[in-house]
Amino acid sequence: FKILDCLNQSIVVINDSGLVQFMNRASESLLQFKTESLLGQNISMIMPEPYASRHGKIKSFFKKLKS
């Protein structure tokens, strides 16, 4: 992921559980969160409402599609 840290665009990588795995420097600047504070946290922490509260439902929907 080191190459992504050089980009000017904000990039946040999550796993299939919605937990933050990587965040580049541009994301820190844009979101006003340090990478260390978001790693392992649910992506909904940085989502505004109503998206944050809907995120779990969307995740469930996609998991059902995969099965």
Side-chain angles (χ1 to χ4, degrees), residues 4-53:
L4 299 177
D5 221 11
C6 300
L7 299 175
N8 292 329
Q9 292 86 9
S10 174
I11 297 175
V12 178
V13 178
I14 62 172
N15 63 15
D16 59 354
S17 297
L19 303 180
V20 176
Q21 301 298 295
F22 172 82
M23 192 171 109
N24 69 350
R25 287 185 205 141
S27 296
E28 284 188 351
S29 179
L30 177 72
L31 301 171
Q32 299 295 302
F33 279 97
K34 289 286 184 189
T35 299
E36 299 82 28
S37 67
L38 284 181
L39 287 179
Q41 300 297 316
N42 196 291
I43 191 69
S44 62
M45 279 185 63
I46 60 172
M47 292 177 167
E49 287 299 338
Y51 308 106
S53 57

